[in-house]
Structures are given as C-alpha cells and as structure tokens.
Amino acid sequence: MLMPAALPLSALENAAEFLPRHIGIDAADEAHMLSVIGEASRRALIDSIVPRSIARSRAMDLPAPATEAAALAELKALAAKNQVLKSFIGQGYYGTHTPGVILRNILENPAWYTAYTPYQAEISQGRMEALVNFQTMVCDLTAMPIANASMLDEATAAAEAMTLAKRSVKSKSHRFVVAGDAHPQTIEVIQTRAAPLGIEVVLANSAEEWNALLAGDYFAVLAQYPATSGRIDDLRADVEQAHARQAAFIVAADLLALTLITPPGEWGADIVVGTTQRFGMPMGAGGPHAAYMACRDEYKRSLPGRLVGVSVDVHGKPAYRLALQTREQHIRREKATSNICTAQVLPAVIASMYAVYHGPQGLTRIAQRVAAYTAILAQGLKALGAPVREQATFDTLSLHTQDATQAIAARAVSLGANLRVYFGEYLCISLDETTTRADVELLWKVFAKDGQALPSFADFEKGVAPLIPAALCRTSGFLAHPVFNTHHSETGMLRYIRQLSDKDLALDRSMIPLGSCTMKLNATSEMIPITWPEFAQVHPFAPADQLEGYRLLDEQLRAWLCQATGYAGISLQPNAGSQGEYAGLLAIKAYHAAQGQGHRNICLIPSSAHGTNPASAQMAGLQVVVTKCDENGNVDLADLKAHCEKHSENLACVMITYPSTHGVFETQVKELCQLVHQHGGRVYVDGANMNALVGVAAPGEFGGDVSHLNLHKTFCIPHGGGGPGVGPVCVVEDLVPYLPGLPGQDSQPQAPASGKVGPVSAAPLGNAAVLPISWMYIRMMGAEGLQAATETAILSANYISARLKDHYPTLYASANGHVAHECILDLRGLKETSGVMAEDVAKRLIDYGFHAPTLSFPVPNTLMVEPTESETLFELDRFIDAMIAIREEIRQIEGGALPQDDNPLKNAPHTAESLLAGEWSRPYTRETAAYPVAALRQAKYWSPVGRVDNVYGDRNLFCSCVPVSELA
Ligand SMILES: *Cc1c(COP(=O)(O)O)cnc(C)c1O
C-alpha cells in the first residue's frame, strides 16, 4: 500500500505565500523572458542595468513576510488599539452613513478604485459622468457657476483659493485676512502656504478685529460658513466691503448646511471651498476625502485641479473629457498655478453618488434632522442649566464651560463620546447624520448634575425649529437635474453605478501600461482593512490615547519605508506626490535658512522632469532654472555643472527623478549628487520611480537628501481614477527637524515655531485611512519579496522593449540596450511615413481592449510603457501582440493599401453604434475595426463614444450635467 510522503512544513506553508499572487511572472515565464532579452539570469540582467556604484550596501531590514490571513490578523490586532468613540468633535469631520450600495459597489469595487486618471477620455466616460455630477452638485449647493472635480482637502483648497485670488484680483495688496474662527487646521495650512510667497496672513480673532481689518488693505479674505464654533454669520455686508477694495471674498462652506442656509454664491462670494466628507466618506482619521472648489466664471481659466467638461465625439454625441488647462497643467511647469496632479477622485465619486442616491429632498431631510436634533439638544442642555451660548447654528453648539471644561470632556469620554475642547474654556458639540436620539440623551447625561432628571424626547415630538435665522434660510432649489432625482431605489442606484463602471477600463479588465504611474496589483487583502471601523470611524483630532492603532501604523510604516529608501526620517502627512514634493522643498528651504543661507533660492530641474516638480518649486518660492538632457536622455552633467557654478552662491537644490523619467538608470547619479553638495545645494530625488529601486538601490544612500514616494504607485494604493494618494516626504538626518508640523492640535491655530515647517495637509496623518494598504503590502512581501517585485518589474519592461524593438524602437536605453522599469516607444518617425501619431495608436489600443501607455510624456509623440511586476506573461504578450498588430496596420498605410486619413487608427476607437450604421464605406472591414485579433471575439470592450473632440469642448466650455434633451 502507498503511504503518503512526509513533506517539509516549509513547503506546505509556502502554499499560502502572497508573493506569487502579487508577482504575475513565475520561474518558467522568467526563463522564457530572459531568453528573449538575451540574459542568462535575473541577477545578470539586474547587474547589467543597475549601476554598481549605487547598489544597496545591505538588504532591507523588514519583518519576514506574512501570509494574507496572518497579516490581516496582525493588522486587526493593531487596529483594535484605536478606540472608536462616538464623535461630536466636528471641526470639519463628521459621522456619515456610507450607503451600503455605494460602499460595496464603489469604495470596495475594483472597477472604480483601480481606474486611472481620465486622460484617455473614451475609456473614462463613466467616472467622468460621476465627476460632472460632483461638479454640478457643488455648483448647485454653493450657487456658484463653476466647480472643479476635487481638491486634496479643505485646508489645501483654502490655500489654493488664496493663490487663485492673488492672481485674479485687481488689488495689489499682499495681505490675506482670515477669520480666526475658521477651522484651525485650515488656518495653519494657509500660513504654511503663504509664507514662501510673501503673503502676509492676518487673523481676525474677534468681531472688532474683523471689522477693522475689513476696512483696511488686503487682496482677499476667508471666512468659514458656518464658523468652526458653529456660529452662522450674515456676511453680505463684508462681501461688499471686500469688493469695494478690489479684493476677493473666499468662503469655506459646509455642503450639508448649504441645503438649509443661504449659499455663498447668492451673496457674492468669489470662491467657495470646503470638504464633501460628510457626503458618505468615513472620517478615516482625516482622509481621504474630496474637497471642492467653486469660483466665479471669470476665474475659471486659472482654477486649480481638474475640471471635467462636456464636449462631443466624432459622431457628434456628447462626451466628457478633462477641460482647459487641466489636460495640460503639467506642460505649464513652473508657470503652472498649482501643483495638483493626483487629487481625490474616488472620494469625489462617492460624494456625488451620495447626492444622486439621496437627491435634493433626501439631503434636505438629513440636514433638517441634524438641525432639529441640534435645537433639541440645546433646549435640553439649557433646561439642565448648561452654559449654551446663544448663536445661530446648523449643527454645532458651543458651551462656555470655563473651569469645568476638561472634567466634562472626560466625563463624556467615560460615557463613550468625544466633545471638542475649544480655547480651553469652551466645549463644542457637533451633530451629524449618524446622531440618534440615544446620542442626544447621552449628551444630556454628560451635562446633568447628579440626580438631575433628564429631558425627554416626548416633549419634542412635535418638532423644534432649527437655530437658523429666517434671513439666512435658503429659499432656492438645487439638484434639479434628473440624475439627482431618479436613482433613489437601491435597485436603480445599483444599476446606475454598474452602468457607469461598465463604460470604463480599469485594472479589473486589462493591464494599464502607463509609464511613470505604476499601475500594479491592488490586492484585495490590502484593501479590506480600510473600511474596518477601527480605521474608518475615528476622528483625526480624537484624543491621542484613542488613536494608538494609528500611531503604531504610522511608526511601523515609516520605519519600513526608511528601510526601503535609506532615509532617516519620513512624514506620511502629504496626501499626494505633489504635496510631498512641496513639503520636501520647504524642508530644504528651512534648512538653508537655519544655516544663515536663506538667500539660496535657485532650484535646478532637468528638462525631462515631471511637471509637478517645477510647479512645486514655484509654490515653495524657489526660482526654477531648467537644465538640459543629452541625446541619450540623461541629465547633461556638463550643463548641470555650469549651472551649479553659475548659481553656486544661491543654489538651493536640484530636483532629479531616478531612474529618470526617460526610463534609464543614469550611471553618474552619485557624481551628480556630489557636485550639487559641493555647491552647497541639496538633492531632491523624485521617488515616483521607486518601483525600479526598492530593495535594489536606496536614494538616501546614493546621495539624495529628500525624496517623496507615491504610495499610490509603488506601494499599492489604487489610483482611484485619479486619487486618493499618499506622498510621504523622506529626508536625511539633518533635515528631519524640518518635516511638516502637525495641524489642528489646538483650537488656537499655531504659526510654525521659528525655523520649523508648518503642516501641509489638514490632518496630521493626511490620507490616514489608506495607509493600511501599503502596510499590508510590505508586511506580506517582506524584504526579498519587495526586491523580487522590483527586479520583475525591470524584467517585464525589458521583455516588452526587446519584443517590440523591430516594430517600435525604444527611445532611450543604457549602453547595453537595457531600460529600467519602463520604456519609451518612439513613434515619431511614423508621422512622416504614414501620418500616424502616437495618439492614434493610443486610441486604436482601445479597440484591442487596452488602456494606452503614457502618451507624449516626457517626450512628445511617444508612448511610455510600464508593465509592473504584477502582470502575467499572458497579458504582457497580449499587449505586445496588439502593438505588433497595430504596427502591421500602420505598414498597410505606409504601403498605400490604406489611406492616411481613413484607416483603423485614425478612426479609432470604433463604437458598436458606428459599426452598425447601415452603410459601411470605410476602406477596411467592420471585422477589422472591431475584431482585429481573434481573441476579441471572446471578450470585447466597446468604447461608449468615438474619439472625443477636445477643442470643441474648450471653445464651448460646459462643466455641469448634460440636459437630458441633448442626450436623446
Ligand atoms: C506621479 C508623479 C508625480 C506626482 O505625483 P502625484 O501623486 O500625482 O501628485 C511626480 N513626479 C513623477 C515622476 C510622477 O510620475
């Protein structure tokens, strides 16, 4: 009889390994790919690519990899160290019910969260419709004519409003007046942002100061509506004063309150900003949430962030695309008005869907209940003798509790509730959608003296009028478009969400080979923890002892990222790569100032840099000087040297990307760093390409002083259709004191201590709630796994480059013909021979079921391909075969078999409707149009619109929901 063999436990335990789930290439695939490239082993390949001079001195010191189940259990235990109390803190963060149909079908659905920013309009119609709904929602609620498709958070939105006003108004003043009762974190981020631009921020800490300041000189003012204390002021006269001084009036407004109170657009506001968090996004210890910005029509051409507009496709049908400068903002570089790239698309989609689901009546009812409970709470508290201040309010009460403040707050905590301590002697209580009768009774209990009888809801059954004065009640309607009045049943909502996501291509359908964007696996196990209540339902300013889980998450993740980068200190606060760049440059500036070298203000940036680099540098008050690249795409060291010498006295830093945006490991990077250091400058290494470095080389070791990471690229946070992201800023030892400060720690906004850098985001941990994703990734991969991921990403890029070399030459390679983790395919010659542009290939790929590679960045008329380690060989080959088939189509044009202006590329993408049109007069068949390769007959993606006309849309700018009559 055959006995089962004993197997070593390690073999059995490996079966649950995460590594082969993340990396799509197995040993046999690897051997095949190496043979195509012509290298003997992965080791040999990597050694021939990564310069020896920068190789890591030692392996990363990380915990041994855990299985998915074990990592989830470990993280659950860590999460359990957060205490989830009922939050009444307010201050911009409120409880909200994420409708289950939105939670499951958007927030937890890869069709939405793995999508990329909608640069390829034809495959992004679903998410752009959701974003147009978002813009319409913001316009309607604020009563402003135009709104963008999300900002990073309310505080940075307010800071961007300040600079938008600065460049838009006639006033030449440099003074910015801010109401002292704006949210403290907003004031602090404004202070951080204002300083390098020479803007003087003046706080009005009382009504007298406010009135005196408004009578003076300034280019703009900002008021919070309702104020952070809950008070609602009538600001009409103030707006008129500001306008009389040619200054702008900025309002930070609460969208839920605006369903009941007069919207700022109706009393003359010029810019309105705020958060949409309470429209269905959990507090998540501070983010991610979509902030919004709306402005007057005259400002629209300098509106920061992305704007989705309606245009038409080649068939004349309405179609969405990114409008105006938002397509090209990176091209504007140091002239860019904002550095926002990754924004908050997924949270914006969720907020828009919350409005679609509830509709105008539903939102109003939610707000009315909040306002009624607030009024009831106030009556009950007064009956108990609590010191409630008389004020017009929507959802927040303020109590002058004086010496009893801390004791009452502690009593609330013991009963499971967090109140907000305000200026040491006040308590603020904010109610929200989740507040129940039991919560109101609990709040009464907090204030009741021993033996005092509690008020009873029975006395309030007939209702209590909200504490909103008649003069400030909203009378205008909003959200009249059918989309907000149709999908109110769950069935209807489910189908609307599905209908939109079916229009789009995300990672759940095919690879997205976008160079510089690192569209890798966002594993389900990494995503699961983000909606755990222990992470999702906590307030960013809850008492520190309730946030122990987040503290540990922050500490561990920073330690691991220090291992990965070789840096000494990290802050996870920046909520996008651009924000990390900005924080890093501020650190460099503060360092120089501390050395008595505050005059150093020159920032050298090679011409190949990503547009956010120069944009961030100008925001940091640095003067950008562009340096050359040589014909191989490398930084021209001679030119850089000349600039270093020329600017030696004033050199602040050099910003490079490594490996370069040209997809090459430059061999002289160490020399470059030394050169910059010799001239007293610091080296900023843009870490967006860390997927080519982790485990192989560390910027903090080879000469970098500062880097930002993109956790939404290298460390598996999904792109969400254009955000959220996390852009940690990493620094060497002597720059650690200049990492960003913590916002909102006190009710009194803190200007940064002298020599320190203030906060760059509204919340201490920025987009805290998505940090578990990167934690899970590192925890499950371990040091060797992460290194294998890097090496496989490089292997896959080289495989694509090698297989395509006879069809599309790779533009830049190292001396031995190899590339880093991405390759630029040179299509520039095709224009001459066939009239085909890179864009035509990008659009034709849609017919083959693929999202295009990065188009025309960093070199015009090229495609930059980054496969990542997560794609399987099957998918890589499918992509390569599609590219080769398209090249054959181009050869037919070159040979004259197809005309240059009427061929499958120029007419791509082909919609089903256009193929079914009665007459078919193209010089190629319908089959060629739709099914150029046989496999497409099994699984076909149909573009919902034909090629979108960008110019038409910009000439006829329209950024709200399309009237139904036009869709017919
Ligand atoms: C993505 C990217 C950035 C900007 O990062 P965001 O998170 O989008 O702000 C900066 N530099 C490079 C090279 C990038 O690829």
Side-chain angles (χ1 to χ4, degrees):
M1 210 169 70
L2 206 61
M3 293 289 287
L7 290 167
L9 287 185
S10 63
L12 299 175
E13 286 159 359
N14 276 347
E17 247 191 348
F18 176 66
L19 190 80
R21 308 291 183 200
H22 178 81
I23 297 183
I25 303 297
D26 66 18
D29 300 335
E30 185 174 300
H32 166 70
M33 292 160 74
L34 286 165
S35 73
V36 170
I37 299 168
E39 287 287 352
S41 66
R42 193 168 90 199
R43 186 74 282 123
L45 175 74
I46 299 302
D47 287 346
S48 73
I49 291 174
V50 181
R52 207 143 306 213
S53 60
I54 64 161
R56 288 187 70 102
S57 57
R58 55 190 167 75
M60 297 181 286
D61 183 10
L62 296 174
T67 62
E68 292 175 67
L72 281 168
E74 187 178 324
L75 188 58
K76 190 79 187 173
L78 191 150
K81 296 186 194 294
N82 287 333
Q83 291 173 51
V84 186
L85 269 62
K86 186 83 203 182
S87 175
F88 300 99
I89 298 171
Q91 199 181 330
Y93 303 92
Y94 306 88
T96 176
H97 291 304
T98 313
V101 63
I102 295 175
L103 177 77
R104 177 151 296 183
N105 298 290
I106 296 182
L107 184 54
E108 297 178 342
N109 180 355
W112 287 93
Y113 66 68
T114 69
Y116 181 65
T117 307
Y119 289 128
Q120 292 293 327
E122 296 82 3
I123 54 92
S124 315
Q125 292 293 304
R127 53 194 186 271
M128 285 204 279
E129 176 165 333
L131 292 175
V132 163
N133 293 346
F134 178 88
Q135 292 171 185
T136 306
M137 169 188 93
V138 171
C139 287
D140 277 20
L141 289 170
T142 58
M144 298 296 286
I146 194 156
N148 71 8
S150 79
M151 301 290 286
L152 289 163
D153 60 29
E154 177 165 331
T156 56
E160 299 265 0
M162 167 180 76
T163 51
L164 171 59
K166 186 83 186 72
R167 50 180 191 270
S168 305
V169 298
K170 292 216 183 80
S171 166
K172 291 281 165 268
S173 171
H174 293 291
R175 178 177 273 202
F176 185 53
V177 175
V178 181
D181 56 6
H183 292 319
Q185 68 273 17
T186 300
I187 296 175
E188 288 166 334
V189 171
I190 285 174
Q191 286 167 332
T192 306
R193 289 276 196 101
L197 301 175
I199 293 173
E200 181 201 1
V201 177
V202 200
L203 288 186
N205 281 318
S206 64
E208 295 73 44
E209 282 181 32
W210 175 252
N211 290 331
L213 284 166
L214 282 198
D217 178 49
Y218 50 89
F219 70 89
V221 285
L222 179 137
Q224 187 99 39
Y225 180 74
T228 195
S229 62
R231 202 186 63 250
I232 308 174
D233 287 323
D234 189 337
L235 298 163
R236 281 168 245 234
D238 302 332
V239 172
E240 279 169 26
Q241 274 219 55
H243 287 170
R245 280 163 183 73
Q246 315 275 19
F249 202 97
I250 302 165
V251 181
D254 180 302
L255 285 188
L256 191 62
L258 294 186
T259 62
L260 302 183
I261 65 177
T262 321
E266 289 178 15
W267 38 265
D270 301 289
I271 305 171
V272 186
V273 295
T275 174
T276 63
Q277 179 267 320
R278 69 196 305 179
F279 279 29
M281 269 309 277
M283 289 183 283
H289 315 126
Y292 70 84
M293 178 183 282
C295 67
R296 53 187 318 130
D297 201 57
E298 298 92 291
Y299 296 176
K300 69 187 171 209
R301 283 177 201 270
S302 47
L303 188 63
R306 300 201 183 97
L307 181 64
V308 179
V310 185
S311 186
V312 293
D313 73 356
V314 285
H315 311 296
K317 264 180 53 167
Y320 306 103
R321 94 280 172 247
L322 292 177
L324 296 181
Q325 71 280 5
T326 55
R327 271 194 328 278
E328 312 117 46
Q329 70 170 332
H330 296 155
I331 294 172
R332 303 194 59 200
R333 312 179 76 88
E334 63 275 13
K335 294 194 190 64
T337 46
S338 155
N339 65 346
I340 297 186
C341 179
T342 292
Q344 297 279 17
V345 171
L346 191 70
V349 168
I350 289 169
S352 79
M353 289 295 182
Y354 181 93
V356 167
Y357 191 50
H358 288 297
Q361 281 88 20
L363 291 180
T364 306
R365 199 160 50 237
I366 290 167
Q368 283 169 333
R369 188 169 73 105
V370 170
Y373 276 13
T374 305
I376 291 168
L377 175 67
Q379 285 202 13
L381 287 176
K382 282 184 202 161
L384 290 167
V388 181
R389 293 158 87 196
E390 291 299 333
Q391 65 178 18
T393 187
F394 161 60
D395 64 355
T396 300
L397 299 180
S398 168
L399 296 94
H400 196 184
T401 38
Q402 302 184 39
D403 292 350
T405 304
Q406 292 299 343
I408 299 172
R411 181 172 152 85
V413 168
S414 72
L415 293 171
N418 285 324
L419 311 185
R420 177 178 177 199
V421 175
Y422 190 51
F423 281 96
E425 52 179 307
Y426 297 94
L427 285 171
C428 288
I429 307 174
S430 291
L431 305 192
D432 57 51
E433 181 192 6
T434 68
T435 308
T436 60
R437 288 184 173 205
D439 294 329
V440 174
E441 282 163 354
L442 179 135
L443 290 166
W444 285 330
K445 205 163 145 195
V446 168
F447 285 87
K449 305 193 179 61
D450 280 348
Q452 206 176 8
L454 293 185
S456 160
F457 260 93
D459 299 336
F460 303 115
E461 289 300 347
K462 289 220 178 77
V464 173
L467 302 172
I468 301 172
L472 288 174
C473 282
R474 180 170 191 144
T475 53
S476 55
F478 49 87
L479 304 184
H481 190 277
V483 75
F484 299 107
N485 294 280
T486 307
H487 313 293
H488 296 168
S489 75
E490 182 165 329
T491 306
M493 189 67 194
L494 181 67
R495 290 179 187 153
Y496 180 59
I497 292 172
R498 176 64 189 259
Q499 186 200 320
L500 293 191
S501 60
D502 274 358
K503 291 183 176 179
D504 289 8
L505 269 188
L507 277 177
D508 63 334
R509 295 210 209 197
S510 69
M511 78 185 281
I512 302 187
L514 281 166
S516 212
C517 302
T518 314
M519 302 295 289
K520 56 161 71 175
L521 172 74
N522 318 116
T524 312
S525 287
E526 292 156 6
M527 294 301 293
I528 281 174
I530 70 166
T531 43
W532 286 346
E534 298 91 325
F535 286 130
Q537 307 295 347
V538 300
H539 193 288
F541 305 124
D545 62 350
Q546 295 174 22
L547 298 176
E548 181 63 10
Y550 266 115
R551 193 190 64 74
L552 286 167
L553 180 73
D554 176 42
E555 184 181 286
Q556 292 177 10
L557 189 52
R558 282 188 293 116
W560 298 346
L561 293 174
C562 279
Q563 287 297 320
T565 56
Y567 284 108
I570 294 186
S571 164
L572 301 176
Q573 186 183 102
N575 46 20
S578 61
Q579 308 302 297
E581 289 175 18
Y582 178 69
L585 293 171
L586 290 186
I588 290 174
K589 276 191 74 164
Y591 166 84
H592 285 313
Q595 313 305 309
Q597 300 275 306
H599 58 277
R600 288 186 174 268
N601 71 337
I602 299 288
C603 176
L604 300 181
I605 305 183
S607 58
S608 61
H610 192 265
T612 52
N613 291 187
S616 299
Q618 69 81 21
M619 284 169 61
L622 293 165
Q623 192 189 325
V624 176
V625 176
V626 179
T627 71
K628 290 188 194 140
C629 289
D630 64 19
E631 68 279 13
N632 300 318
N634 298 326
V635 173
D636 182 335
L637 263 189
D639 187 56
L640 189 86
K641 187 154 187 265
H643 277 292
C644 282
E645 282 161 7
K646 179 172 170 206
H647 299 291
S648 192
E649 281 296 297
N650 296 317
L651 185 65
C653 59
V654 174
M655 282 184 105
I656 57 168
T657 303
Y658 201 80
S660 74
T661 51
H662 288 156
V664 184
F665 279 94
E666 290 154 302
T667 50
Q668 291 181 299
V669 66
K670 261 194 137 150
E671 290 79 351
L672 186 157
C673 297
Q674 282 161 5
L675 172 72
V676 174
H677 290 153
Q678 278 160 16
H679 289 278
R682 307 302 302 248
V683 178
Y684 190 106
V685 181
D686 182 323
N689 288 344
M690 272 303 285
N691 214 44
L693 292 182
V694 178
V696 171
E701 281 186 1
F702 64 69
D705 297 301
V706 189
S707 289
H708 76 268
L709 302 174
N710 298 66
L711 298 191
H712 47 300
K713 293 178 180 171
T714 318
F715 294 92
C716 296
I717 293 176
H719 280 251
V726 178
V729 51
C730 320
V731 297
V732 290
E733 196 74 50
D734 64 347
L735 294 177
V736 171
Y738 309 107
L739 287 172
L742 301 182
Q745 298 306 292
D746 200 351
S747 28
Q748 173 88 59
Q750 304 293 319
S754 130
K756 295 283 182 184
V757 174
V760 297
S761 305
L765 264 183
N767 281 340
V770 291
L771 295 173
I773 301 169
S774 299
W775 187 99
M776 283 291 291
Y777 174 57
I778 299 174
R779 190 67 193 84
M780 295 191 294
M781 293 291 277
E784 285 175 31
L786 290 175
Q787 185 176 343
T790 302
E791 295 181 0
T792 308
I794 294 174
L795 170 72
S796 293
N798 280 280
Y799 175 71
I800 290 180
S801 173
R803 270 206 65 197
L804 286 178
K805 72 171 186 297
D806 295 335
H807 309 279
Y808 307 91
T810 290
L811 181 53
Y812 298 118
S814 50
N816 57 13
H818 292 333
V819 296
H821 66 312
E822 59 195 6
C823 58
I824 298 179
L825 304 177
D826 190 0
L827 280 70
R828 294 175 301 179
L830 300 177
K831 186 179 177 196
E832 185 67 30
T833 59
S834 65
V836 167
M837 305 293 285
E839 185 181 22
D840 300 319
V841 175
K843 300 307 179 192
R844 183 60 173 150
L845 274 168
I846 297 173
D847 287 333
Y848 285 78
F850 285 102
H851 189 295
T854 298
L855 176 62
S856 291
F857 171 81
V859 182
N861 214 8
T862 62
L863 291 174
M864 180 157 62
V865 180
E866 179 182 1
T868 84
E869 70 279 10
S870 297
E871 294 303 334
T872 58
L873 179 57
F874 174 84
E875 187 70 356
L876 297 178
D877 282 333
R878 199 171 73 88
F879 171 73
I880 292 164
D881 293 341
M883 288 296 289
I884 294 173
I886 292 173
R887 187 66 186 88
E888 292 309 325
E889 293 175 350
I890 298 171
R891 288 195 180 102
Q892 287 187 36
I893 305 170
E894 291 171 335
L898 285 168
Q900 290 207 356
D901 60 348
D902 188 4
N903 57 60
L905 283 99
K906 288 289 174 196
N907 298 329
H910 295 84
T911 62
E913 200 182 340
S914 70
L915 294 180
L916 289 170
E919 272 291 291
W920 179 256
S921 54
R922 302 285 185 209
Y924 53 95
T925 65
R926 296 172 194 202
E927 284 72 19
T928 302
Y931 300 123
V933 290
L936 288 168
R937 291 177 191 272
Q938 308 299 317
K940 170 75 183 168
Y941 167 79
W942 289 100
S943 170
V945 295
R947 202 174 302 184
V948 178
D949 184 340
N950 286 319
V951 177
Y952 176 91
D954 283 354
R955 285 219 192 100
N956 304 275
L957 193 64
F958 187 81
C959 302
S960 308
C961 293
V962 183
V964 176
S965 56
E966 277 185 41
L967 290 173

